[in-house]
Amino acid sequence: MKEKGASSIVVIAIIVIIVAAVGVGSYFLLKGRPSGAPTGFRDSFPVNKNNLGPTGNNPYFILKPGYKLSYEAGDSTFTTTVLNETKIVDNVETRVIQDIEESNGQLVEITYDYFAIDKTTNDVYYFGEDVDIYKNGKVVSHEGAWLS
């Protein structure tokens, strides 16, 4: 069963996603479709792995070591830090992002997420995460961990 503070973080995450989606939609309504962007429905997403790298940013996602965000909701905090570390996942050098969730001052979860950004399109790709779930200061699970 999830702790009370964890549901607050989920609500904040959903709000952030909605705000980002509205922002992206508004941007393209005002600026128009990016040059070379496909029209209509896409059922394939060809990616040249040689264009992917661990550092860069677009208006909504920053992959620069040292960048940090922290959110608070009630007794819960969620801190995301772009680390000065990389990891090879699926033959791509990805940037490591550490997420720390705490509730009532106690560690709940630490994840290490792996992202790369396309240098030509600024599209961000998520390659998975390693997860440590804590209870009483000790790792009790790695549920949710995956790599592409």
Side-chain angles (χ1 to χ4, degrees):
M1 187 157 121
K2 292 193 178 216
E3 295 190 20
K4 183 178 174 185
S7 64
S8 298
I9 290 176
V10 170
V11 170
I12 290 171
I14 291 170
I15 291 169
V16 168
I17 290 168
I18 291 169
V19 169
V22 170
V24 170
S26 300
Y27 174 82
F28 288 123
L29 281 174
L30 295 173
K31 296 286 187 178
R33 183 183 290 307
S35 175
T39 58
F41 179 77
R42 293 182 68 187
D43 60 2
S44 67
F45 301 87
V47 177
N48 181 346
K49 287 185 178 182
N50 293 325
N51 291 336
L52 300 180
T55 304
N57 63 286
N58 66 33
Y60 310 100
F61 206 90
I62 298 171
L63 282 178
K64 292 191 177 177
Y67 184 75
K68 187 175 191 173
L69 292 173
S70 198
Y71 306 95
E72 292 184 20
D75 293 331
S76 296
T77 59
F78 186 82
T79 304
T80 298
T81 306
V82 180
L83 302 179
N84 191 25
E85 298 175 23
T86 61
K87 178 176 177 147
I88 302 296
V89 181
D90 201 13
N91 295 317
V92 172
E93 185 179 15
T94 64
R95 176 64 54 198
V96 180
I97 296 179
Q98 180 188 57
D99 297 320
I100 299 176
E101 179 184 348
E102 296 175 296
S103 182
N104 296 315
Q106 297 294 312
L107 189 57
V108 174
E109 181 176 306
I110 296 177
T111 64
Y112 294 93
D113 303 319
Y114 309 109
F115 291 92
I117 191 164
D118 189 310
K119 298 170 199 145
T120 60
T121 64
N122 285 332
D123 292 336
V124 175
Y125 294 87
Y126 184 34
F127 284 80
E129 63 181 26
D130 287 317
V131 179
D132 291 332
I133 298 173
Y134 290 80
K135 187 165 188 163
N136 299 321
K138 297 186 187 242
V139 175
V140 294
S141 172
H142 302 288
E143 184 178 346
W146 67 278
L147 295 174
S148 75

